[in-house]
Structure formats: C-alpha cells, structure tokens
Amino acid sequence: MITLTITKLRDRIYKFNENGPDMNVDAFLVIGKNKGILIDGLMDAKGVLKEARKLTDLPLEMIITHGHPDHAGNGAKEFIDAGCTVSIMKEDLGLLPDFQLDYPENAFHFIKDGDSFDLGEISLQVMALAGHTPGSCVLYCPEKNLMFSSDSFGSGDIWLWMPHSLPLSVFRQNLIPVLEFLRNHPDLIIYPGHTYQIPDYRGDANACIDLAYVEDLMEITEDLIAGRKSGQPVPTPFPSIESTDVCITSGKIMYQYTYSSRKI
C-alpha cells in the first residue's frame, strides 16, 4: 500500500511524503502570496494535486529537480493533465522515456541555472548541479533560509554510477559554486529528496542536513578523484550494470558515497 503523508514544516512550507513497498520519497510545497510551487512529483502516489489544493486555492506549478521516476512520477502527470506549469531542466528531458515517463516535450517549461520564481513574498532560485543526472538542480528559498537538494546530495548514497550520471571530476566542479554559496550562508537548512536516508535519521519529519554534510561530501569527492580513497564493488539493482563502487567514509557526518570507478 502506498501512503501519502503531508507535514507542515513551517509557515507556507509542506512536505509530501510517499511511502510504499518500493519507495520512500519526498516533495515540498512552497506557498507564496500569489501562487504555490510543488518541488518534485513523487512516483506512484495518487491525489498529489488534490492534496495540494487542500492547502491553497492559489495557482499551482511544479519544478522537477531531475528526470528520475521517483521525482517526476504520477504527481507530475496530475499537474500536467490539469494544465499547471511544470518546469524541468532541458538536459534531463531525454531521461524521461528511459523510465517509461511518457510526457510530450511541450508539457514542460525549461529552466536554467540562475532562474528565479517569484511566488509573492517567497521566491525560489534555481542552482544547477549536474552530476546525479545532467539536468539536476537544487532550489534556494532565501526568505525561509532553505535549500531543497533533492538527490543532488543528502539522500543517502550519492548516486553517480548510472549510465547518464556525470564523472566525479565534473560533479566536483559543479559542486564548487554550491559549496561556496553554502559557506556564505552557513545557517541554511537543507531538505533532500529522501529524508529517511539522511544519516542518523530517527523518523523526524523535519530532518535535514547542513553545510557540514556538503563539506564532507566535497572532501570525499576530492579523495576519490585523487586516489586517496577507493571503493568496493557492490551489485546494482539494474541488470545492465553489474556492479559499481561504494566508498564508506566518516567525517563530520557518516554516509556512503557511490560512484563508478570507470567515470572518475
């Protein structure tokens, strides 16, 4: 059975959690004075748009952080079918058919690094962070001192081993401006796309990560590139890829970092 649970995290910010046999994933609704935006569309949960409508009667849009089925799934379809604007980075458009997400190209508004969405007294700013996918992005909400990182970082293992994932060296380069931004905003609260995979998660709906996590992420990324650390091969859930490498590290925060040794 799939459950959809909505939790109010703070004023105008809600978490939509889909929990089922094969998936536990989060989306986030940000409500401004003039409209609301749902960050990501979950996977199989039904009634996502209906639940969002219960929280606001303002116009609704969606931003998809990357083109994987657990973030661009049934909720995205509901929004598209209802005529809501759904945005994604063009670099990930080609991934959708690979996951049987059969959306027409004209269903989407394309976004890029530096774009800003004015919701009325609240805004969301797009920061590209290609790595997990070519079109991955994180979203910054300055008025609430929040960042939504989806799967770019913070959702347990950092998946960079899939065929469309970028090499570690490219991910590192793309992470640099995000890390510098976070160093200039050290108190920023970061919500990833799979809260339950946060290290030391204890069931708190408000669980989040912070600058320390991203500092540790950069450290292990550089260690892997330089050969100071290496991983051990483990099986993957995809038949076309027999194994990838996992490096377990402990720093400010303990977590696993998954990467492909073929794509350093």
Side-chain angles (χ1 to χ4, degrees), residues 4 6 14 16 29-31 34-38 46-62 75 77-86:
L4 179 61
I6 293 90
Y14 296 84
F16 283 47
L29 178 63
V30 181
I31 302 174
N34 301 323
K35 66 180 178 182
I37 290 182
L38 186 65
K46 299 185 184 303
V48 176
L49 178 59
K50 179 181 177 181
E51 292 301 319
R53 291 287 189 207
K54 292 179 181 178
L55 298 171
T56 179
D57 57 3
L58 295 171
L60 287 170
E61 298 182 11
M62 179 180 291
K77 183 179 187 302
E78 292 178 2
F79 273 58
I80 290 169
D81 290 348
C84 302
T85 298
V86 177

Side-chain angles (χ1 to χ4, degrees), residues 3 10 15 29 39 41 47 53-54 90 96 144 152 157 180 182 195 200 206 222 225-226 239 242:
T3 60
R10 59 190 63 206
K15 182 170 80 170
L29 178 63
I39 300 170
R53 291 287 189 207
K54 292 179 181 178
K90 192 171 186 177
L96 301 176
K144 295 294 184 180
S152 287
D157 297 2
E180 288 301 317
L182 291 171
T195 306
D200 298 325
N206 263 294
E222 293 180 337
I225 293 170
E242 291 184 1

